[in-house]
Amino acid sequence: MPGSKASEEARRKQILRAAYDVASRKGLAGLTVRHVAAKADLSTGLVLFHFKSKEHLVIALLDYVLETTTVLHLTEDIASIPSPLDRLLALLVREMNRLSAEPRRIRLFFDFWAQGFTHPLIRVRMQAEIDRYREAFRPIAAEVLAAEPDRFSHVTAEGLAAVAVGFIKGCAVQSMIDPKNFDFDEYLSAMQGLVGQLAPGAAV
Amino acid sequence: MPGSKASEEARRKQILRAAYDVASRKGLAGLTVRHVAAKADLSTGLVLFHFKSKEHLVIALLDYVLETTTVLHLTEDIASIPSPLDRLLALLVREMNRLSAEPRRIRLFFDFWAQGFTHPLIRVRMQAEIDRYREAFRPIAAEVLAAEPDRFSHVTAEGLAAVAVGFIKGCAVQSMIDPKNFDFDEYLSAMQGLVGQLAPGAAV
DNA sequence: TCTCGTATTGAACGCTGGACCAATAAGGAG
DNA sequence: CTCCTTATTGGTCCAGCGTTCAATACGAGA
């Protein structure tokens, strides 16, 4: 009765994709080994053959989600923007666009995040991920501070990076639960109105 | 064998407190009727006698959490601050202090928030709650805009209120998962550095 | 072609959770 | 005191879960 075999790596990916599909639809609470197996057209036993337990599967799924999520990086068009503050703003805009572009992925991310409160293995991974995200903002934040040292005398690059992350995650908190009523443009222009004026020659 | 009776209202509150205790420790995933009953020193049947089903209990718990959570309101000391922007900042500071003051409650809040992605009844309540929260910021945001109309020409009070909520929720996203490594003061001074300069006569 | 390791299956086990219910005690009304 | 409503109990049921396992089929190497 067994079906055709497949390589270890291919099977794991197939199962992880199925797990992602289930979890992104039903949430982590609705993620069961049986559902994953059914979605992947495999037996339940095989899922647990490749991932020793459900916990291993969940952690592997988290790693999969974090790996396949676009990491923050400076694209050429953004890097070429002269004003550091405009560069930071352009990055924020791009990240906010991702919120509406792949809501299911972001929701799953936050589902894991909330599970991290009680699950140590998930927690450490989420801590590392958010750290990584904040660190990606730091060099740009540092450039913003360097451009206007007197105005940001008591501000650190770490703090500014944290605020940048806060902008995005805070936007996500509001938009993920209520996409229809959340106005991205309003949020953006309010953000620009707050910080945009600090750049001396910034054309907004 | 039945124990002493109690009034409908008293029993419900007793059960809800037990449910809150369990959920704030173990998370919503660890919330079971049996645990709640045990924590309240009652039989499992009684819990389901007062709350017809577990779902009813969960929704009632959510309402309980939202009701007993301090609503955002202007205290006298904050209302007496002359500069609108300083008033807004003072509010943000107070809300951020609540994040570290009652982390378990906030974590439970976000747990519900994430469950709202897949559970319609939870979702509408969280939408309404976040709306309410944002609306509470709106009048203060409007005063900020009125104080400097030319600088905020394209900014609406709704947008500014949303950004204020974003500041706080974004701070929560980072601090709830990693309280030890998150620096509230750094976050705050970066925030003040960004927006504080906009107030002409603000002494920070 | 034969063989051996292993990927694969489907059924079975044990457990936990929500839900249900007959029996029972409690307390107020008459 | 008696009765009647109902809050309360503990046990039971059943569905669904993660996990285990003997049986089985596949495919590479000899």
Side-chain angles (χ1 to χ4, degrees), chain B residues 159-182:
Chain B
L160 189 54
V163 169
V165 173
F167 262 127
I168 293 160
K169 302 298 183 190
C171 174
V173 168
Q174 298 175 75
S175 63
M176 288 292 106
I177 196 73
D178 198 2
K180 305 288 173 190
N181 279 332
F182 187 80

Side-chain angles (χ1 to χ4, degrees), chain A residues 17-181:
Chain A
R17 268 197 297 267
Y20 174 79
D21 200 75
V22 173
S24 67
R25 283 182 211 277
K26 314 274 185 179
L28 286 178
L31 180 72
T32 71
V33 176
R34 277 171 228 265
H35 280 142
V36 172
K39 180 62 83 175
D41 269 314
L42 299 172
S43 66
T44 66
L46 192 58
V47 172
L48 284 159
F49 175 80
H50 287 283
F51 299 85
K52 291 191 296 187
S53 68
K54 187 197 176 179
E55 184 173 15
H56 281 91
L57 174 62
V58 170
I59 296 297
L61 173 61
L62 173 54
D63 289 336
Y64 171 80
V65 168
L66 296 183
E67 279 169 20
T68 61
T69 296
T70 318
V71 197
L72 183 72
H73 68 287
L74 276 174
T75 52
E76 252 187 75
D77 52 330
I78 289 185
S80 68
I81 297 175
S83 155
L85 194 57
D86 286 345
R87 221 151 45 221
L88 178 57
L89 281 173
L91 258 184
L92 294 181
V93 169
R94 207 189 52 190
E95 289 302 294
M96 280 175 49
N97 281 334
R98 265 185 45 213
L99 296 183
S100 45
E102 30 187 15
R104 282 222 306 262
R105 172 173 240 104
I106 309 288
R107 276 198 276 259
L108 182 53
F109 173 89
F110 278 110
D111 204 343
F112 272 114
W113 173 76
Q115 292 303 309
F117 297 158
T118 50
H119 194 306
L121 283 179
I122 296 180
R123 179 183 205 114
V124 293
R125 276 167 173 80
M126 293 304 305
Q127 288 175 342
E129 176 64 18
I130 291 182
D131 263 14
R132 210 174 304 133
Y133 194 60
R134 190 165 47 225
E135 278 305 296
F137 275 106
R138 214 181 40 160
I140 302 132
E143 291 170 8
V144 171
L145 301 189
E148 302 193 53
D150 47 333
R151 293 202 167 179
F152 291 113
S153 54
H154 293 139
V155 180
T156 65
E158 284 78 13
L160 189 54
V163 169
V165 173
F167 262 128
I168 293 160
K169 301 299 183 190
C171 175
V173 168
Q174 297 174 75
S175 63
M176 288 292 105
I177 197 72
D178 198 2
K180 306 287 176 193
N181 280 331

